[in-house]
Amino acid sequence: QILGLLFGVLLVGVCQGVPLYDYFSEGGITQGLVAENNEFYLNGKPFKILSGSLHYFRVHPDYWRTRMQQYKAAGLNTLDVYVPWNLHEPRKDEFDFGDLGLTQFSKEGFLNITRFLEMAREEEMFVIFRPGPYICGEWEFGGLPSWLLHEYPMYFRMSYGPYEDRAEVYMLQLLQKVKDFQFYTENGVKGGPIIMTQIENEYGNYGYSDYPRDKEHLRFLKKVLRFGGIESLLFTSDTPSSTADWGNVDYELMTANFKWNSEKELKRIKEIRPDAPILVSEYWPGWFDHWFEDNHNTLSDADFRTILGNIFGANASVNFYMFFGGTNFAYMNGANILGYSGVEVPPVYVPDVTSYDYDAPITESGQYTAKYNSTVEMIAEYDPLYNLIDRPLPPTPAKLVAYPDIEMIVVNDLTSILANIPAEFIKEYEKPHSMEEIDIFNGNGQSYGYIVYRKEVSLSPGSKITIRGHIRDLAQIMINGVMVSEPILSSVQLLTTFGSWAIRDSQFVVPEGINCGESCTLDILVENLGRANFGVPHTFNQKKGIWEGDILIDDKVVDNWTHFMLDPTFSGEDIFRSNDLNKFDRTAAESLGFKVFLGVLTLGEDTEIGDTFFDFGCDACQDWSHGAVFVNDFNVGRYHTAGPQQTLYIPGALLKPGENYISVLESYHGSNTFKFTATPNYGTVAADTTDKDKENPLDMNINLI
């Protein structure tokens, strides 16, 4: 495939021309990017923005440079960059740009945003900067930190003092780091990669029907950007046909987001801004997936070319969202609320899968696709500077490897974990509290992972346990250390089975065989599957756990619950490990319930290390039901047998010669064998449909509510 790609690129022509920065800074930098007379001009020269989104937090830093070179080789000249607040201020007033080591992202170098921007400059790429504070992006809570929910009430993305105060504190910390990376400033440093900056994100969608949006909040953010030293061109982005200019403010540059109905969207933005150049700030060349969906969402190369041809036919600039998607490592996947125009559709809440492959021109593991070839060909025909600006050959991506199977043993279970958890992660409350409400981590609450509600109660067969409201998100019941509730493994069970978030006032009847009488230890384990990243104002109350109502046994309210916080993000994976590795045996994998597996992948000094995938979907892999995988203490993300995703990406950059420790937190079953594969499986691809079919917003824009 790579040889074919290189041959195709050579046919188009690899240009050893003028470096991009030299061309646009010739004679000195006297002006930044401006939009006038239906064109963009950079330092006074006409400029077509040909950009691809690259999320530094979704790709291992060892691969940053390779991805940038892949973008540039395709003919792109710009990177589009989101910045997630929840990674850079994971706890209130603790700002981490790779120097604090608070999370795995910091320890592995993901958060060094200044190095990323320096590298963009080194690779002769400009940057579209999208600092938030809200970014959407199918990222946990749209990039907002969960500790904001510790304070009640809290209102997001609007002119509410407590929210704006914290957003300003964070933004000024971030802007202090990046302001000297702008291409043009009047009195400051010049020659950096940042040429334009976004105000918030898709703000036209944040509201109800056509009621006015809170533009004073946008003006507040604009003021913060300018006060923080941002002098570049400002812009907003929305889908023109659905929200017009409702999310724009002060006639700043308005851009368009879309996939289907491209001609309609291009026409509409021109009607709204007839004298401005068109930038499609998000051309979606694929789509993302949710757990429990039947199919993996894709866009054919033919449709990809048609839509891109329409964009170029309108003399527009473009950003491919995504050109490479990457991975929602750890517990950082977002979620959506199903529905349209305020009408919710069961199961309402749907968490995003770990893979953010997005069916993009470059795959999750950095491999090239037909869409990459199409991009090269079409940009070569469209970009006036294509034969003038220097471009490299496409670099060779990391090798894909299927390592030998490894044996897994059970090293811990929920009972042992709770018996040995440090006291600081145990709290007593009269009423069940959400993760965010817990007084832990200096008032920041619990962000991710699991929470257990424990109570010593009297139970017998036929006893009824009721949880009022909705469980947030996935629950299982243990009685005296034995899981007695049914695993949720399919979409049908979401609407019928206890433990699902989709059911209001869930009820569980204690089965026969439970005869603990007055001395029953009831544990309700709840997993946070990711906070919604998109929605209208009321859907941002994304607290997790049991908090919407009481827990009842046989219709009587039960109070005074012990809360156990299981969050490896901050407390460390060690809370899940046992000091006695011989305590459990191989048959423990056959028991139902939450458990921890450990295995060792040993690689020789001369082993060629490459990227790989955990295979939980093969015929011999079905016992892996649902959980998360840690590679040398790095959480590579969740898996779930419901799919559509059936493999889990493991970057080779996480592996090393010698012993590599693989830990699995499995919620239900598990296996004594961990299989690797070199072939990703993102699920069954849906049968192709026509553009007319995909105009249905519940199909391709399922996140609009």
Side-chain angles (χ1 to χ4, degrees):
Q1 183 187 33
I2 293 176
L3 288 176
L5 170 68
L6 295 179
F7 179 71
V9 173
L10 287 170
L11 286 178
V12 173
V14 176
C15 180
Q16 300 298 320
V18 179
L20 182 70
Y21 280 72
D22 286 357
Y23 176 79
F24 282 103
S25 61
E26 182 182 12
I29 300 174
T30 60
Q31 189 179 45
L33 183 70
V34 297
E36 58 185 27
N37 301 324
N38 292 299
E39 295 287 350
F40 288 106
Y41 295 89
L42 183 60
N43 201 27
K45 295 184 176 182
F47 180 51
K48 283 283 185 291
I49 301 169
L50 300 167
S51 174
S53 290
L54 179 59
H55 296 165
Y56 59 93
F57 45 92
R58 278 184 162 128
V59 57
H60 194 282
D62 286 3
Y63 300 154
W64 284 353
R65 191 177 298 276
T66 298
R67 296 294 175 269
M68 292 180 188
Q69 291 171 350
Q70 289 176 309
Y71 282 39
K72 190 169 184 64
L76 303 184
N77 53 37
T78 303
L79 306 173
D80 176 273
V81 182
Y82 271 148
V83 182
W85 181 1
N86 52 15
L87 288 189
H88 290 292
E89 193 184 2
R91 296 195 291 224
K92 188 176 180 180
D93 290 324
E94 296 185 37
F95 302 98
D96 195 344
F97 293 93
D99 48 354
L100 294 186
L102 291 175
T103 65
Q104 66 179 33
F105 293 95
S106 181
K107 294 172 184 176
E108 282 287 329
F110 284 75
L111 303 187
N112 193 345
I113 189 171
T114 55
R115 181 67 193 116
F116 182 86
L117 294 172
E118 288 169 353
M119 195 177 293
R121 175 64 181 86
E122 292 165 3
E123 295 301 325
E124 300 281 335
M125 299 288 282
F126 294 124
V127 167
I128 298 172
F129 192 60
R130 305 173 80 177
Y134 162 80
I135 63 171
C136 186
E138 290 70 63
W139 190 251
E140 220 278 341
F141 209 15
L144 301 174
S146 65
W147 50 260
L148 288 168
L149 290 161
H150 187 73
E151 180 176 329
Y152 182 84
M154 176 56 67
Y155 303 104
F156 300 91
R157 304 178 63 195
M158 61 180 65
S159 299
Y160 178 63
Y163 173 74
E164 289 191 333
D165 289 347
R166 292 311 313 177
E168 181 176 15
V169 170
Y170 159 70
M171 292 282 283
L172 292 179
Q173 288 281 334
L174 170 63
L175 298 178
Q176 181 63 31
K177 294 280 186 181
V178 305
K179 64 184 178 63
D180 289 339
F181 287 91
Q182 296 177 90
F183 181 76
Y184 172 79
T185 61
E186 186 172 345
N187 298 308
V189 178
K190 298 179 177 67
I194 297 175
I195 58 173
M196 60 191 305
T197 303
Q198 181 176 247
I199 307 171
E200 235 266 356
N201 187 77
E202 295 180 314
Y203 200 71
N205 280 302
Y206 195 62
Y208 302 92
S209 184
D210 61 351
Y211 288 97
R213 305 316 191 230
D214 184 0
K215 295 199 175 187
E216 287 307 308
H217 177 60
L218 296 182
R219 291 189 177 95
F220 166 79
L221 293 177
K222 177 180 172 181
K223 181 180 178 180
V224 171
L225 289 170
R226 293 307 191 203
F227 181 78
I230 295 298
E231 299 180 40
S232 69
L233 179 69
L234 300 180
F235 74 99
T236 63
S237 64
D238 278 297
T239 301
S241 67
S242 60
T243 58
D245 59 353
W246 306 342
N248 189 262
V249 64
D250 300 337
Y251 293 92
E252 298 290 353
L253 179 69
M254 178 181 166
T255 67
N257 300 348
F258 61 77
K259 175 167 60 178
W260 301 110
N261 304 312
S262 54
E263 291 174 302
K264 174 183 176 183
E265 301 298 347
L266 292 163
K267 178 182 178 182
R268 181 64 179 131
I269 194 169
K270 206 60 185 171
E271 291 172 348
I272 299 171
R273 293 286 189 270
D275 298 323
I278 298 175
L279 168 60
V280 180
S281 52
E282 291 189 16
Y283 164 33
W284 305 319
W287 201 243
F288 55 91
D289 298 327
H290 301 113
W291 292 118
F292 296 96
E293 283 182 339
D294 293 333
N295 301 112
H296 170 47
N297 291 303
T298 62
L299 178 72
S300 71
D301 181 55
D303 286 335
F304 172 82
R305 293 176 66 97
T306 296
I307 298 167
L308 185 56
N310 289 338
I311 293 170
F312 287 167
N315 192 36
S317 289
V318 66
N319 173 62
F320 297 90
Y321 185 98
M322 303 291 298
F323 200 70
F324 157 83
T327 308
N328 296 316
F329 293 117
Y331 300 122
M332 302 309 293
N333 61 279
N336 287 113
I337 306 299
L338 300 186
Y340 188 67
S341 294
V343 180
E344 295 179 346
V345 177
V348 183
Y349 165 88
V350 282
D352 298 332
V353 301
T354 300
S355 172
Y356 203 59
D357 178 83
Y358 213 88
D359 194 37
I362 300 173
T363 71
E364 181 179 23
S365 60
Q367 311 302 310
Y368 299 102
T369 70
K371 292 178 188 175
Y372 187 93
N373 296 346
S374 295
T375 303
V376 172
E377 176 190 331
M378 296 180 72
I379 286 179
E381 296 176 356
Y382 180 65
D383 183 10
L385 302 181
Y386 191 81
N387 293 318
L388 180 63
I389 301 300
D390 180 52
R391 286 186 319 283
L393 280 170
T396 302
K399 181 181 179 181
L400 298 180
V401 180
Y403 296 104
D405 297 352
I406 61 173
E407 181 183 14
M408 305 294 288
I409 60 171
V410 175
V411 296
N412 221 338
D413 63 11
L414 185 63
T415 299
S416 296
I417 291 169
L418 299 184
N420 293 285
I421 193 170
E424 62 185 300
F425 303 129
I426 305 173
K427 299 291 181 181
E428 305 282 345
Y429 293 102
E430 178 183 356
K431 297 292 184 180
H433 277 43
S434 70
M435 289 182 172
E436 298 81 1
E437 293 169 320
I438 302 293
D439 187 15
I440 192 174
F441 297 126
N442 297 319
N444 286 278
Q446 180 181 348
S447 296
Y448 314 108
Y450 312 81
I451 186 169
V452 176
Y453 302 86
R454 170 173 283 185
K455 178 76 177 180
E456 299 295 325
V457 296
S458 175
L459 294 172
S460 59
S463 294
K464 183 177 65 175
I465 301 170
T466 303
I467 300 177
R468 295 301 309 273
H470 290 271
I471 297 166
R472 305 296 180 186
D473 298 305
L474 200 60
Q476 59 192 66
I477 285 185
M478 314 279 287
I479 298 178
N480 287 351
V482 177
M483 181 176 172
V484 294
S485 56
E486 183 180 351
I488 296 178
L489 304 175
S490 69
S491 57
V492 173
Q493 290 178 294
L494 289 179
L495 302 178
T496 61
T497 304
F498 173 87
S500 166
W501 64 81
I503 301 172
R504 172 178 284 278
D505 298 342
S506 293
Q507 293 188 346
F508 176 78
V509 178
V510 175
E512 296 294 328
I514 302 299
N515 297 302
C516 49
E518 301 292 329
S519 58
C520 300
T521 300
L522 172 63
D523 289 320
I524 305 175
L525 171 69
V526 181
E527 180 182 1
N528 166 6
L529 291 176
R531 296 176 183 85
N533 55 266
F534 189 97
V536 291
H538 76 271
T539 60
F540 274 70
N541 189 17
Q542 286 285 309
K543 290 185 289 189
K544 296 297 183 176
I546 297 172
W547 60 274
E548 294 186 9
D550 287 312
I551 301 173
L552 294 79
I553 297 179
D554 293 329
D555 298 325
K556 294 182 179 179
V557 173
V558 178
D559 289 330
N560 301 312
W561 291 85
T562 303
H563 297 58
F564 296 83
M565 280 64 72
L566 305 177
D567 181 2
T569 306
F570 292 118
S571 54
E573 190 198 348
D574 287 344
I575 65 171
F576 293 103
R577 288 186 177 165
S578 170
N579 293 325
D580 182 4
L581 298 185
N582 297 315
K583 180 177 179 180
F584 297 89
D585 58 33
R586 290 176 55 87
T587 60
E590 300 172 4
S591 63
L592 182 65
F594 188 93
K595 59 185 77 73
V596 183
F597 290 81
L598 179 65
V600 179
L601 172 65
T602 302
L603 301 177
E605 290 294 333
D606 57 348
T607 301
E608 184 177 3
I609 295 177
D611 293 353
T612 189
F613 297 85
F614 165 45
D615 192 345
F616 60 91
C618 72
D619 291 341
C621 308
Q622 298 301 307
D623 287 337
W624 295 111
S625 301
H626 170 52
V629 175
F630 292 74
V631 177
N632 291 327
D633 292 335
F634 187 94
N635 185 349
V636 296
R638 302 180 219 264
Y639 63 91
H640 201 298
T641 188
Q645 179 179 349
Q646 297 294 317
T647 55
L648 191 63
Y649 173 62
I650 300 174
L654 297 176
L655 302 172
K656 64 184 187 301
E659 293 184 333
N660 295 273
Y661 289 90
I662 311 294
S663 300
V664 181
L665 310 186
E666 163 66 43
S667 293
Y668 301 134
H669 297 107
S671 170
N672 290 121
T673 303
F674 188 101
K675 288 184 174 292
F676 297 93
T677 180
T679 305
N681 179 0
Y682 299 118
T684 304
V685 176
D688 194 25
T689 53
T690 65
D691 283 22
K692 182 177 180 180
D693 291 332
K694 292 178 180 177
E695 287 175 357
N696 178 2
L698 292 182
D699 178 13
M700 297 311 298
N701 290 325
I702 203 166
N703 57 332
L704 299 183
I705 183 68

